[in-house]
Amino acid sequence: MELGLESKVALVAAASQGIGKAVAGALHSEGARVAICARSEARLQDARRDIEARSGREVLAVCADVSDGGQLQALVEQVQQHWGAIDILVNNAGGPPAGSHEDIADAEWARAFELTVRSAGRLTDRVLPAMKARGWGRIINISSYSVKQPLPGMLLSNSLRLAVLGWAKTLASELAPYGVLVNTVCPGWVATRRVDELLQARAQQQSTTVAALRQKICDGIPVGRLGRTEEIANTVVFLASQAASYITGSAIAVDGGAAQVF
């Protein structure tokens, strides 16, 4: 299948590790010119070197906090100066902290909103003019299968990721006449550092082990295991490609069948 990603310019947010890094690596392997960002300079440069080592081609790494509008403006300007107009935007951010309704203060709601919702809108605002002018673009949001089946103890994520989904569906209709497609990928339980940290916290709270919690999760997934980051990345690459030219406004669960609502 011809994906048509050679020399396309892709910006992947929060790409120093986990799903974001896997997505950046997969796009890079398909010939895209890839820019990545993250808050940690050290982790960002480690990711850059790792991705570059696979092909010898350059990866542009820019330290930026996606919850800071000023830093996002500088990020996009630097990518455009280096690579030219951005063809593919992958909106991604670390998930908001766990907690129930009574645990979450107003300030935490505000921080989570900036991280999860506004970061996607702000980055999109900055790449859209060039996409619309060229009549081609791909905006892909990394979300969670919790938009289809809320997860216990994840009130902020359950709430705000649905806000992104509603925004993306509306935006898809508005941008389709311009040739700009908007889709959302909804990973299930994936073997990442964030999932490890979440399981460790839950194990302490519940006086159990991480292994026991992981097994319980796997028992509830029809394919019987956690996902791999490259499996999420493969879906993103397809949606970013020429082959996905008739898909927009979709929320695609990549969860091993875990979500019971479809």
Side-chain angles (χ1 to χ4, degrees):
M1 181 183 295
E2 178 55 52
L3 297 179
L5 291 173
E6 186 75 30
S7 297
K8 293 289 188 185
V9 177
L11 170 58
V12 184
S16 64
Q17 59 186 339
I19 291 171
K21 179 183 175 184
V23 167
L27 288 168
H28 192 255
S29 295
E30 292 295 331
R33 292 178 289 176
V34 174
I36 60 176
C37 77
R39 289 178 297 181
S40 168
E41 180 70 32
R43 288 181 181 175
L44 183 66
Q45 295 303 329
D46 285 345
R48 176 189 60 78
R49 286 188 288 268
D50 188 31
I51 298 170
E52 285 180 339
R54 302 174 199 176
S55 69
R57 292 187 297 108
E58 180 187 10
V59 173
L60 177 64
V62 181
C63 193
D65 181 345
V66 298
S67 65
D68 185 312
Q71 292 186 37
L72 292 185
Q73 179 66 38
L75 164 67
V76 172
E77 289 177 356
Q78 188 167 340
V79 176
Q80 291 172 335
Q81 289 168 5
H82 193 82
W83 291 128
I86 294 166
D87 301 294
I88 300 159
L89 171 63
V90 181
N91 284 314
N92 184 39
S100 63
H101 179 74
E102 293 182 351
D103 298 330
I104 301 167
D106 281 355
E108 290 175 297
W109 273 104
R111 284 193 295 270
F113 179 80
E114 293 293 318
L115 175 68
T116 305
V117 182
R118 286 304 297 138
S119 66
R122 286 175 176 141
L123 268 176
T124 299
D125 288 344
R126 286 157 175 78
V127 304
L128 265 185
M131 287 183 177
K132 291 170 71 174
R134 296 195 313 280
W136 199 97
R138 299 287 190 268
I139 298 167
I140 302 162
N141 308 300
I142 306 297
S143 183
S144 166
Y145 88 119
S146 64
V147 300
K148 296 178 180 285
Q149 183 170 310
L151 298 172
M154 301 293 290
L155 183 72
L156 286 173
S157 181
N158 294 340
S159 304
L160 296 174
R161 291 192 190 281
L162 276 169
V164 174
L165 195 61
W167 164 79
K169 180 65 173 175
T170 306
L171 190 66
S173 297
E174 294 178 0
L175 296 181
Y178 298 95
V180 179
L181 308 183
V182 184
N183 291 291
T184 303
V185 175
C186 307
W189 289 97
V190 179
T192 63
R193 178 179 296 180
R194 172 169 164 77
V195 166
D196 287 343
E197 292 171 351
L198 181 62
L199 293 182
Q200 289 169 4
R202 287 189 180 182
Q204 291 179 348
Q205 293 169 355
Q206 299 174 20
S207 298
T208 186
T209 65
V210 170
L213 287 177
R214 184 178 287 110
Q215 186 58 55
K216 184 177 179 180
I217 290 168
C218 291
D219 289 343
I221 300 173
V223 302
R225 61 173 175 82
L226 300 186
R228 298 186 292 270
T229 56
E230 60 265 29
E231 292 173 314
I232 312 303
N234 290 340
T235 305
V236 175
V237 167
F238 173 72
L239 290 173
S241 75
Q242 304 280 17
S245 56
Y246 201 57
I247 303 174
T248 195
S250 293
I252 300 173
V254 188
D255 64 357
Q260 297 174 9
V261 178
F262 59 90

